[in-house]
Amino acid sequence: MAPRLLGVSLKMYFGHERALGWCRDIAALAREHPAVRSGAVELAVMPSYLAVPEALAILDGVAVVGGQDLAAADKGAFTGEVSGAELAEIGCRVVEVGHAERRALFGETDAVVRAKTAAALRHGLTPFLCVGETDRPDDPANAADACVRQVDDALGDAADDSDGGAPIVVAYEPRWAIGAPEPAEPAYIRAVCSVLRAHVRGLTAHPGSRVVYGGSARPGLLTAVADDVDGLFLGRFAHDPAALAAILDEAHALDAQDGSADPTAAHPTASSR
Ligand SMILES: O=C[C@H](O)COP(=O)(O)O
C-alpha cells in the first residue's frame, strides 16, 4: 500500500522562531516514529516562505517541504511573488495551489489556479491542489461533482505545460470546515473523497495522484476516514506536536491492520535534497 500522506500548512500562525522550533520538534518526532521510519507515512510541511530554507535543512530525510503558494509566472517583474522555479531550486518538492484562503482573501480565480497548477508541475513540484465547496450542500454527491470539476479545471493548462506523468495531491477542503471547531463528518468526507479518489486515479496524465482531506482535521479523524482518503492536510490541529504524534500513531495502527508495514523500507522522502 502507498504511504499515507500527512501534510501540514503552518499558514501565518507562527513567527519565525516558533516555526523553526516546531520543525525541530517534528523532525525529532518523525525520526523516532515507526510510522515514518517504516515508510508507512510521508510527511509534507508548508511553512511560511521565510522559514522554508531552514525547514528544508531541519526536516531533511523525514519530510518534504514546500511553499504555501507560488507565482504563476517563472520570472520577471512580479513584486512580492516567489516562483516555482526558485522553490524547486532550493529543494522544495511540494507546493499548495488554490487554497480557499488564497481564493477568498487574495482574489485567486480559477484561471490563476490553472496557471499556478501548471507552474508547479512545470518545475517538478507536486501541487497540493485545494478544492472544496463553499457552502455545505445537502448531498455530498453535489460537493463531489463540484470538486471533480475544480480538479479538471485546475489541470486545464497543465497537460501542455508539463511533461505528463507527474502525480498531484488533491486536498479536499470544504471551505465551511476550514478554521472550524470540528471537521466535516466522517461519512460526508468519505462520500466526497471516494468519488474524488476514483476520479484522480483515472487521471492517466498524473498516475499516482492522491486525495487528502483538510479542514479542522485532528486526532481520531484518519482512523474514521482511512478507507476513502490517502491522508490528511492538517492546519491548527498539528500545532501541538503531541497531536501530530497521535495521528502518526493512528497511521501506524492502520498500517499494521493493512499488514503491509515494511520496517526495513527506506523513507520515501529520505533524499529530499
Ligand atoms: O491548510 C490547511 C487547512 O486549511 C486546514 O486548516 P485547519 O485545520 O486549521 O482548519
Side-chain angles (χ1 to χ4, degrees), residues 38-72:
S38 70
V41 165
E42 182 179 359
L43 288 171
V45 173
M46 289 82 152
S48 60
Y49 282 134
L50 288 177
V52 165
E54 283 181 81
L56 280 161
I58 294 167
L59 293 162
D60 188 26
V62 290
V64 293
V65 173
Q68 297 173 11
D69 186 26
L70 80 168

PDB file of all heavy atoms in Angstrom, residues 38-72:
ATOM      1  N   SER A  38       9.147   3.364   9.013  1.00  0.00           N
ATOM      2  CA  SER A  38       8.781   2.220   8.165  1.00  0.00           C
ATOM      3  C   SER A  38       8.387   2.640   6.763  1.00  0.00           C
ATOM      4  O   SER A  38       8.241   1.801   5.878  1.00  0.00           O
ATOM      5  CB  SER A  38       7.619   1.454   8.803  1.00  0.00           C
ATOM      6  OG  SER A  38       6.423   2.226   8.732  1.00  0.00           O
ATOM      7  N   GLY A  39       8.171   3.924   6.551  1.00  0.00           N
ATOM      8  CA  GLY A  39       7.689   4.389   5.247  1.00  0.00           C
ATOM      9  C   GLY A  39       6.188   4.335   5.127  1.00  0.00           C
ATOM     10  O   GLY A  39       5.641   4.573   4.050  1.00  0.00           O
ATOM     11  N   ALA A  40       5.477   4.041   6.219  1.00  0.00           N
ATOM     12  CA  ALA A  40       4.009   3.986   6.163  1.00  0.00           C
ATOM     13  C   ALA A  40       3.398   5.373   6.037  1.00  0.00           C
ATOM     14  O   ALA A  40       2.264   5.507   5.575  1.00  0.00           O
ATOM     15  CB  ALA A  40       3.456   3.294   7.405  1.00  0.00           C
ATOM     16  N   VAL A  41       4.138   6.388   6.463  1.00  0.00           N
ATOM     17  CA  VAL A  41       3.648   7.765   6.393  1.00  0.00           C
ATOM     18  C   VAL A  41       4.686   8.640   5.697  1.00  0.00           C
ATOM     19  O   VAL A  41       5.885   8.539   5.957  1.00  0.00           O
ATOM     20  CB  VAL A  41       3.370   8.332   7.800  1.00  0.00           C
ATOM     21  CG1 VAL A  41       3.225   9.855   7.764  1.00  0.00           C
ATOM     22  CG2 VAL A  41       2.106   7.718   8.374  1.00  0.00           C
ATOM     23  N   GLU A  42       4.200   9.470   4.820  1.00  0.00           N
ATOM     24  CA  GLU A  42       5.017  10.505   4.190  1.00  0.00           C
ATOM     25  C   GLU A  42       4.541  11.847   4.745  1.00  0.00           C
ATOM     26  O   GLU A  42       3.343  12.133   4.737  1.00  0.00           O
ATOM     27  CB  GLU A  42       4.823  10.449   2.682  1.00  0.00           C
ATOM     28  CG  GLU A  42       5.657  11.440   1.903  1.00  0.00           C
ATOM     29  CD  GLU A  42       5.432  11.316   0.393  1.00  0.00           C
ATOM     30  OE1 GLU A  42       4.639  10.453  -0.013  1.00  0.00           O
ATOM     31  OE2 GLU A  42       6.030  12.108  -0.340  1.00  0.00           O
ATOM     32  N   LEU A  43       5.473  12.640   5.225  1.00  0.00           N
ATOM     33  CA  LEU A  43       5.141  13.951   5.785  1.00  0.00           C
ATOM     34  C   LEU A  43       5.498  15.057   4.793  1.00  0.00           C
ATOM     35  O   LEU A  43       6.539  14.998   4.123  1.00  0.00           O
ATOM     36  CB  LEU A  43       5.928  14.200   7.075  1.00  0.00           C
ATOM     37  CG  LEU A  43       5.520  13.399   8.318  1.00  0.00           C
ATOM     38  CD1 LEU A  43       6.556  13.626   9.422  1.00  0.00           C
ATOM     39  CD2 LEU A  43       4.137  13.808   8.804  1.00  0.00           C
ATOM     40  N   ALA A  44       4.628  16.048   4.721  1.00  0.00           N
ATOM     41  CA  ALA A  44       4.894  17.229   3.884  1.00  0.00           C
ATOM     42  C   ALA A  44       4.577  18.464   4.714  1.00  0.00           C
ATOM     43  O   ALA A  44       3.506  18.557   5.315  1.00  0.00           O
ATOM     44  CB  ALA A  44       4.025  17.200   2.632  1.00  0.00           C
ATOM     45  N   VAL A  45       5.516  19.400   4.770  1.00  0.00           N
ATOM     46  CA  VAL A  45       5.371  20.580   5.624  1.00  0.00           C
ATOM     47  C   VAL A  45       5.469  21.838   4.766  1.00  0.00           C
ATOM     48  O   VAL A  45       6.401  21.990   3.976  1.00  0.00           O
ATOM     49  CB  VAL A  45       6.463  20.590   6.719  1.00  0.00           C
ATOM     50  CG1 VAL A  45       6.422  21.896   7.504  1.00  0.00           C
ATOM     51  CG2 VAL A  45       6.282  19.391   7.657  1.00  0.00           C
ATOM     52  N   MET A  46       4.480  22.713   4.936  1.00  0.00           N
ATOM     53  CA  MET A  46       4.487  24.000   4.232  1.00  0.00           C
ATOM     54  C   MET A  46       4.520  25.125   5.265  1.00  0.00           C
ATOM     55  O   MET A  46       3.484  25.567   5.772  1.00  0.00           O
ATOM     56  CB  MET A  46       3.233  24.155   3.372  1.00  0.00           C
ATOM     57  CG  MET A  46       3.219  23.256   2.147  1.00  0.00           C
ATOM     58  SD  MET A  46       2.674  21.602   2.558  1.00  0.00           S
ATOM     59  CE  MET A  46       1.968  21.078   1.015  1.00  0.00           C
ATOM     60  N   PRO A  47       5.713  25.620   5.583  1.00  0.00           N
ATOM     61  CA  PRO A  47       5.810  26.789   6.472  1.00  0.00           C
ATOM     62  C   PRO A  47       5.687  28.058   5.638  1.00  0.00           C
ATOM     63  O   PRO A  47       5.511  27.998   4.422  1.00  0.00           O
ATOM     64  CB  PRO A  47       7.222  26.641   7.057  1.00  0.00           C
ATOM     65  CG  PRO A  47       7.997  25.859   6.062  1.00  0.00           C
ATOM     66  CD  PRO A  47       7.025  25.136   5.155  1.00  0.00           C
ATOM     67  N   SER A  48       5.796  29.203   6.289  1.00  0.00           N
ATOM     68  CA  SER A  48       5.812  30.446   5.513  1.00  0.00           C
ATOM     69  C   SER A  48       7.126  30.499   4.722  1.00  0.00           C
ATOM     70  O   SER A  48       8.104  29.820   5.055  1.00  0.00           O
ATOM     71  CB  SER A  48       5.686  31.655   6.442  1.00  0.00           C
ATOM     72  OG  SER A  48       6.760  31.670   7.351  1.00  0.00           O
ATOM     73  N   TYR A  49       7.146  31.309   3.680  1.00  0.00           N
ATOM     74  CA  TYR A  49       8.312  31.326   2.784  1.00  0.00           C
ATOM     75  C   TYR A  49       9.636  31.505   3.526  1.00  0.00           C
ATOM     76  O   TYR A  49      10.619  30.839   3.234  1.00  0.00           O
ATOM     77  CB  TYR A  49       8.182  32.462   1.773  1.00  0.00           C
ATOM     78  CG  TYR A  49       7.258  32.210   0.618  1.00  0.00           C
ATOM     79  CD1 TYR A  49       6.338  33.185   0.227  1.00  0.00           C
ATOM     80  CD2 TYR A  49       7.311  31.028  -0.121  1.00  0.00           C
ATOM     81  CE1 TYR A  49       5.499  32.985  -0.865  1.00  0.00           C
ATOM     82  CE2 TYR A  49       6.471  30.820  -1.206  1.00  0.00           C
ATOM     83  CZ  TYR A  49       5.565  31.801  -1.569  1.00  0.00           C
ATOM     84  OH  TYR A  49       4.747  31.608  -2.643  1.00  0.00           O
ATOM     85  N   LEU A  50       9.661  32.447   4.500  1.00  0.00           N
ATOM     86  CA  LEU A  50      10.935  32.758   5.149  1.00  0.00           C
ATOM     87  C   LEU A  50      11.509  31.575   5.905  1.00  0.00           C
ATOM     88  O   LEU A  50      12.722  31.486   6.105  1.00  0.00           O
ATOM     89  CB  LEU A  50      10.758  33.946   6.107  1.00  0.00           C
ATOM     90  CG  LEU A  50      10.570  35.315   5.456  1.00  0.00           C
ATOM     91  CD1 LEU A  50      10.324  36.374   6.515  1.00  0.00           C
ATOM     92  CD2 LEU A  50      11.779  35.680   4.608  1.00  0.00           C
ATOM     93  N   ALA A  51      10.639  30.665   6.330  1.00  0.00           N
ATOM     94  CA  ALA A  51      11.113  29.511   7.097  1.00  0.00           C
ATOM     95  C   ALA A  51      11.474  28.330   6.197  1.00  0.00           C
ATOM     96  O   ALA A  51      12.045  27.336   6.680  1.00  0.00           O
ATOM     97  CB  ALA A  51      10.039  29.079   8.108  1.00  0.00           C
ATOM     98  N   VAL A  52      11.164  28.420   4.916  1.00  0.00           N
ATOM     99  CA  VAL A  52      11.351  27.259   4.040  1.00  0.00           C
ATOM    100  C   VAL A  52      12.808  26.779   3.987  1.00  0.00           C
ATOM    101  O   VAL A  52      13.065  25.583   4.156  1.00  0.00           O
ATOM    102  CB  VAL A  52      10.778  27.533   2.627  1.00  0.00           C
ATOM    103  CG1 VAL A  52      11.286  26.509   1.622  1.00  0.00           C
ATOM    104  CG2 VAL A  52       9.251  27.519   2.661  1.00  0.00           C
ATOM    105  N   PRO A  53      13.804  27.674   3.769  1.00  0.00           N
ATOM    106  CA  PRO A  53      15.180  27.148   3.670  1.00  0.00           C
ATOM    107  C   PRO A  53      15.620  26.393   4.919  1.00  0.00           C
ATOM    108  O   PRO A  53      16.186  25.297   4.812  1.00  0.00           O
ATOM    109  CB  PRO A  53      16.014  28.418   3.431  1.00  0.00           C
ATOM    110  CG  PRO A  53      15.057  29.378   2.797  1.00  0.00           C
ATOM    111  CD  PRO A  53      13.740  29.119   3.473  1.00  0.00           C
ATOM    112  N   GLU A  54      15.359  26.962   6.099  1.00  0.00           N
ATOM    113  CA  GLU A  54      15.787  26.252   7.314  1.00  0.00           C
ATOM    114  C   GLU A  54      14.943  25.011   7.568  1.00  0.00           C
ATOM    115  O   GLU A  54      15.445  23.997   8.060  1.00  0.00           O
ATOM    116  CB  GLU A  54      15.747  27.196   8.517  1.00  0.00           C
ATOM    117  CG  GLU A  54      16.941  28.140   8.527  1.00  0.00           C
ATOM    118  CD  GLU A  54      16.933  29.061   9.731  1.00  0.00           C
ATOM    119  OE1 GLU A  54      17.360  28.622  10.805  1.00  0.00           O
ATOM    120  OE2 GLU A  54      16.500  30.211   9.583  1.00  0.00           O
ATOM    121  N   ALA A  55      13.660  25.064   7.206  1.00  0.00           N
ATOM    122  CA  ALA A  55      12.818  23.877   7.359  1.00  0.00           C
ATOM    123  C   ALA A  55      13.332  22.732   6.501  1.00  0.00           C
ATOM    124  O   ALA A  55      13.309  21.561   6.912  1.00  0.00           O
ATOM    125  CB  ALA A  55      11.372  24.212   7.000  1.00  0.00           C
ATOM    126  N   LEU A  56      13.809  23.060   5.299  1.00  0.00           N
ATOM    127  CA  LEU A  56      14.380  22.023   4.431  1.00  0.00           C
ATOM    128  C   LEU A  56      15.547  21.321   5.125  1.00  0.00           C
ATOM    129  O   LEU A  56      15.671  20.088   5.047  1.00  0.00           O
ATOM    130  CB  LEU A  56      14.856  22.650   3.119  1.00  0.00           C
ATOM    131  CG  LEU A  56      13.777  22.917   2.065  1.00  0.00           C
ATOM    132  CD1 LEU A  56      14.276  23.935   1.046  1.00  0.00           C
ATOM    133  CD2 LEU A  56      13.373  21.624   1.367  1.00  0.00           C
ATOM    134  N   ALA A  57      16.383  22.102   5.777  1.00  0.00           N
ATOM    135  CA  ALA A  57      17.536  21.502   6.450  1.00  0.00           C
ATOM    136  C   ALA A  57      17.101  20.702   7.679  1.00  0.00           C
ATOM    137  O   ALA A  57      17.559  19.588   7.905  1.00  0.00           O
ATOM    138  CB  ALA A  57      18.522  22.601   6.848  1.00  0.00           C
ATOM    139  N   ILE A  58      16.201  21.268   8.457  1.00  0.00           N
ATOM    140  CA  ILE A  58      15.784  20.621   9.711  1.00  0.00           C
ATOM    141  C   ILE A  58      15.046  19.316   9.437  1.00  0.00           C
ATOM    142  O   ILE A  58      15.227  18.314  10.139  1.00  0.00           O
ATOM    143  CB  ILE A  58      14.884  21.579  10.528  1.00  0.00           C
ATOM    144  CG1 ILE A  58      15.685  22.790  11.006  1.00  0.00           C
ATOM    145  CG2 ILE A  58      14.255  20.854  11.712  1.00  0.00           C
ATOM    146  CD1 ILE A  58      14.807  23.929  11.537  1.00  0.00           C
ATOM    147  N   LEU A  59      14.222  19.304   8.389  1.00  0.00           N
ATOM    148  CA  LEU A  59      13.352  18.153   8.125  1.00  0.00           C
ATOM    149  C   LEU A  59      13.932  17.212   7.072  1.00  0.00           C
ATOM    150  O   LEU A  59      13.254  16.267   6.644  1.00  0.00           O
ATOM    151  CB  LEU A  59      11.966  18.636   7.692  1.00  0.00           C
ATOM    152  CG  LEU A  59      11.177  19.358   8.805  1.00  0.00           C
ATOM    153  CD1 LEU A  59      10.032  20.172   8.219  1.00  0.00           C
ATOM    154  CD2 LEU A  59      10.634  18.341   9.816  1.00  0.00           C
ATOM    155  N   ASP A  60      15.169  17.464   6.682  1.00  0.00           N
ATOM    156  CA  ASP A  60      15.783  16.644   5.638  1.00  0.00           C
ATOM    157  C   ASP A  60      15.736  15.165   6.018  1.00  0.00           C
ATOM    158  O   ASP A  60      16.131  14.776   7.108  1.00  0.00           O
ATOM    159  CB  ASP A  60      17.245  17.077   5.450  1.00  0.00           C
ATOM    160  CG  ASP A  60      17.869  16.402   4.241  1.00  0.00           C
ATOM    161  OD1 ASP A  60      17.134  16.023   3.310  1.00  0.00           O
ATOM    162  OD2 ASP A  60      19.100  16.243   4.242  1.00  0.00           O
ATOM    163  N   GLY A  61      15.197  14.374   5.120  1.00  0.00           N
ATOM    164  CA  GLY A  61      15.148  12.932   5.356  1.00  0.00           C
ATOM    165  C   GLY A  61      13.889  12.445   6.029  1.00  0.00           C
ATOM    166  O   GLY A  61      13.621  11.240   6.041  1.00  0.00           O
ATOM    167  N   VAL A  62      13.106  13.344   6.613  1.00  0.00           N
ATOM    168  CA  VAL A  62      11.874  12.894   7.282  1.00  0.00           C
ATOM    169  C   VAL A  62      10.614  13.553   6.744  1.00  0.00           C
ATOM    170  O   VAL A  62       9.508  13.065   6.998  1.00  0.00           O
ATOM    171  CB  VAL A  62      11.921  13.098   8.817  1.00  0.00           C
ATOM    172  CG1 VAL A  62      12.911  12.129   9.445  1.00  0.00           C
ATOM    173  CG2 VAL A  62      12.222  14.528   9.186  1.00  0.00           C
ATOM    174  N   ALA A  63      10.763  14.651   6.016  1.00  0.00           N
ATOM    175  CA  ALA A  63       9.573  15.305   5.450  1.00  0.00           C
ATOM    176  C   ALA A  63       9.977  16.089   4.215  1.00  0.00           C
ATOM    177  O   ALA A  63      11.076  16.642   4.161  1.00  0.00           O
ATOM    178  CB  ALA A  63       8.932  16.255   6.471  1.00  0.00           C
ATOM    179  N   VAL A  64       9.068  16.132   3.255  1.00  0.00           N
ATOM    180  CA  VAL A  64       9.271  17.076   2.152  1.00  0.00           C
ATOM    181  C   VAL A  64       8.733  18.425   2.605  1.00  0.00           C
ATOM    182  O   VAL A  64       7.879  18.512   3.486  1.00  0.00           O
ATOM    183  CB  VAL A  64       8.582  16.604   0.854  1.00  0.00           C
ATOM    184  CG1 VAL A  64       9.246  15.353   0.316  1.00  0.00           C
ATOM    185  CG2 VAL A  64       7.092  16.399   1.040  1.00  0.00           C
ATOM    186  N   VAL A  65       9.273  19.463   1.990  1.00  0.00           N
ATOM    187  CA  VAL A  65       8.929  20.838   2.394  1.00  0.00           C
ATOM    188  C   VAL A  65       8.517  21.609   1.150  1.00  0.00           C
ATOM    189  O   VAL A  65       9.025  21.349   0.045  1.00  0.00           O
ATOM    190  CB  VAL A  65      10.142  21.507   3.076  1.00  0.00           C
ATOM    191  CG1 VAL A  65       9.877  22.989   3.352  1.00  0.00           C
ATOM    192  CG2 VAL A  65      10.481  20.785   4.376  1.00  0.00           C
ATOM    193  N   GLY A  66       7.609  22.543   1.330  1.00  0.00           N
ATOM    194  CA  GLY A  66       7.198  23.349   0.184  1.00  0.00           C
ATOM    195  C   GLY A  66       6.574  24.661   0.591  1.00  0.00           C
ATOM    196  O   GLY A  66       6.449  24.976   1.778  1.00  0.00           O
ATOM    197  N   GLY A  67       6.180  25.422  -0.421  1.00  0.00           N
ATOM    198  CA  GLY A  67       5.551  26.712  -0.193  1.00  0.00           C
ATOM    199  C   GLY A  67       4.048  26.585  -0.040  1.00  0.00           C
ATOM    200  O   GLY A  67       3.454  25.582  -0.429  1.00  0.00           O
ATOM    201  N   GLN A  68       3.470  27.630   0.519  1.00  0.00           N
ATOM    202  CA  GLN A  68       2.011  27.676   0.655  1.00  0.00           C
ATOM    203  C   GLN A  68       1.362  28.271  -0.594  1.00  0.00           C
ATOM    204  O   GLN A  68       0.133  28.363  -0.680  1.00  0.00           O
ATOM    205  CB  GLN A  68       1.620  28.504   1.875  1.00  0.00           C
ATOM    206  CG  GLN A  68       2.122  27.917   3.178  1.00  0.00           C
ATOM    207  CD  GLN A  68       1.878  28.829   4.370  1.00  0.00           C
ATOM    208  OE1 GLN A  68       1.157  29.823   4.273  1.00  0.00           O
ATOM    209  NE2 GLN A  68       2.480  28.494   5.497  1.00  0.00           N
ATOM    210  N   ASP A  69       2.190  28.668  -1.534  1.00  0.00           N
ATOM    211  CA  ASP A  69       1.711  29.328  -2.752  1.00  0.00           C
ATOM    212  C   ASP A  69       2.912  29.398  -3.686  1.00  0.00           C
ATOM    213  O   ASP A  69       4.057  29.118  -3.278  1.00  0.00           O
ATOM    214  CB  ASP A  69       1.206  30.739  -2.398  1.00  0.00           C
ATOM    215  CG  ASP A  69       0.553  31.459  -3.574  1.00  0.00           C
ATOM    216  OD1 ASP A  69       0.032  30.786  -4.482  1.00  0.00           O
ATOM    217  OD2 ASP A  69       0.586  32.710  -3.572  1.00  0.00           O
ATOM    218  N   LEU A  70       2.681  29.749  -4.923  1.00  0.00           N
ATOM    219  CA  LEU A  70       3.759  30.047  -5.864  1.00  0.00           C
ATOM    220  C   LEU A  70       3.205  31.010  -6.897  1.00  0.00           C
ATOM    221  O   LEU A  70       1.990  31.163  -7.033  1.00  0.00           O
ATOM    222  CB  LEU A  70       4.305  28.783  -6.542  1.00  0.00           C
ATOM    223  CG  LEU A  70       3.523  28.190  -7.725  1.00  0.00           C
ATOM    224  CD1 LEU A  70       4.364  27.147  -8.434  1.00  0.00           C
ATOM    225  CD2 LEU A  70       2.192  27.600  -7.327  1.00  0.00           C
ATOM    226  N   ALA A  71       4.122  31.643  -7.612  1.00  0.00           N
ATOM    227  CA  ALA A  71       3.697  32.541  -8.689  1.00  0.00           C
ATOM    228  C   ALA A  71       3.274  31.727  -9.901  1.00  0.00           C
ATOM    229  O   ALA A  71       3.772  30.617 -10.123  1.00  0.00           O
ATOM    230  CB  ALA A  71       4.846  33.471  -9.067  1.00  0.00           C
ATOM    231  N   ALA A  72       2.388  32.283 -10.681  1.00  0.00           N
ATOM    232  CA  ALA A  72       2.028  31.638 -11.941  1.00  0.00           C
ATOM    233  C   ALA A  72       3.153  31.787 -12.957  1.00  0.00           C
ATOM    234  O   ALA A  72       3.372  30.912 -13.791  1.00  0.00           O
ATOM    235  CB  ALA A  72       0.738  32.246 -12.484  1.00  0.00           C
TER     236      ALA A  72
END
